[in-house]
Amino acid sequence: MKVRVADDLPIVPLGSSEIQGKILVSLEDGVGCAMYEFYAQAGDEVTLIAFHRNHNHIYYCVEGRCVIHDGATKQLPFTADHLLALTTDKNVHIRIQEPMRIVAVSVPHDTSVSPPPLLMKSLDEVTDSDRNVPFEDGLSRRFLAAPDGYNISVHNTFCSSSFSKHLQYLNNKELVYVIKGQGEYVWENGQCRHDFDSEKHHGTMFLVGNNAHKMTIGARDTIAICLFYPPLMGNERLKTGKEGGSSY
């Protein structure tokens, strides 16, 4: 388990793109992907290109608004709780209308599949589909899964203030970036612990990997951007209450 508080991280160039931001998870962490966060101000213009060669690039808008220019004529609004997924050779230009906070993912392209070059989804679309998967005291809203072809699962995960579970994912590496709420992770049989509180820190990254851990939500409901690599199929249900924790 590795923990990184976003406020403590330096602003650096992100891969081979023109964007500067914070490296939440690097390729050197060995979990199969990288995760970044960056901010953009109203009036900024940014070209979104792959962060790394032969990688798909994916963007989750936490807050703000922009217009995506895809070619000479096509324009798409990109706002809070929308996800934009682009294949390795797809670039778009964005013009920022309201200050934006974006969480980005870079993951190797799987040559055995051919996803659409550009895919956009909203939280409303996901919650009205079979990708809105309930679990005890929470919801897993799955924007991307294996059938989408982007080689990673990207979830918006909601946990209520009553959530307290032992968790472990033996078949997938998990990354959890808490963007809202308050609670605590405990691992190594209680020897290690780290709290999170979005009123004190903008975000806290838990690089869970395959480690057994306990997550307890405090007084406030929590929302996290979660990645699973390799990806889930999309509608698996979390099995809890088993000896040793949870599983998919």
Side-chain angles (χ1 to χ4, degrees):
M1 177 87 77
K2 297 179 181 178
V3 182
R4 292 171 184 146
V5 177
D7 291 348
D8 298 336
L9 299 174
I11 295 176
V12 297
L14 302 180
S16 57
S17 75
E18 64 183 50
I19 299 169
Q20 294 204 343
K22 299 186 176 188
I23 301 175
L24 304 173
V25 178
S26 72
L27 296 179
E28 288 71 27
D29 285 314
V31 292
C33 62
M35 193 174 190
Y36 308 123
E37 183 174 57
F38 65 92
Y39 291 79
Q41 301 305 313
D44 288 352
E45 297 188 15
V46 181
T47 300
L48 302 180
I49 66 170
F51 295 100
H52 302 281
R53 185 179 180 185
N54 297 325
H55 275 222
N56 299 320
H57 46 132
I58 300 156
Y59 306 86
Y60 189 96
C61 178
V62 178
E63 58 188 42
R65 173 184 293 272
C66 72
V67 174
I68 298 169
H69 295 266
D70 182 21
T73 58
K74 191 173 183 180
Q75 297 186 16
L76 302 167
F78 186 45
T79 62
D81 290 323
H82 281 63
L83 177 139
L84 171 69
L86 303 171
T87 54
T88 181
D89 54 355
K90 179 66 175 178
N91 306 332
V92 298
H93 186 77
I94 63 173
R95 181 174 291 114
I96 313 301
Q97 297 176 317
E98 298 174 6
M100 298 192 76
R101 177 187 179 188
I102 295 177
V103 175
V105 178
S106 182
V107 63
H109 174 65
D110 181 354
T111 57
S112 68
V113 295
S114 299
L118 183 154
L119 178 65
M120 186 181 293
K121 293 184 181 181
S122 70
L123 182 59
D124 287 343
E125 291 176 69
V126 177
T127 55
D128 288 337
S129 75
D130 64 355
R131 297 279 187 90
N132 184 28
V133 181
F135 56 89
E136 189 176 351
D137 300 321
L139 292 166
S140 177
R141 288 82 70 97
R142 299 170 182 177
F143 282 79
L144 288 183
D148 297 306
Y150 279 87
N151 201 28
I152 198 163
S153 290
V154 181
H155 304 177
N156 173 308
T157 301
F158 167 84
C159 294
S160 73
S161 57
S162 58
F163 183 89
S164 182
K165 293 287 183 294
H166 290 278
L167 304 169
Q168 186 174 23
Y169 307 102
L170 296 177
N171 301 317
N172 314 81
K173 293 183 172 65
E174 184 194 21
L175 287 70
V176 178
Y177 186 46
V178 179
I179 58 173
K180 182 179 180 181
Q182 181 263 331
E184 181 183 56
Y185 269 79
V186 179
W187 65 102
E188 296 291 346
N189 295 316
Q191 298 179 51
C192 301
R193 63 181 63 234
H194 198 290
D195 65 354
F196 56 86
D197 188 337
S198 60
E199 292 187 356
K200 296 179 180 178
H201 310 290
H202 284 95
T204 305
M205 163 58 66
F206 295 90
L207 203 166
V208 178
N210 302 119
N211 292 290
H213 57 284
K214 182 180 182 181
M215 182 183 185
T216 299
I217 305 303
R220 300 194 309 278
D221 296 343
T222 290
I223 294 176
I225 307 303
C226 299
L227 308 182
F228 286 88
Y229 182 85
L232 304 181
M233 289 305 298
N235 56 7
E236 298 96 322
R237 287 181 178 266
L238 182 66
K239 302 180 182 70
T240 59
K242 297 174 61 177
E243 183 178 351
S246 64
S247 66
Y248 277 114

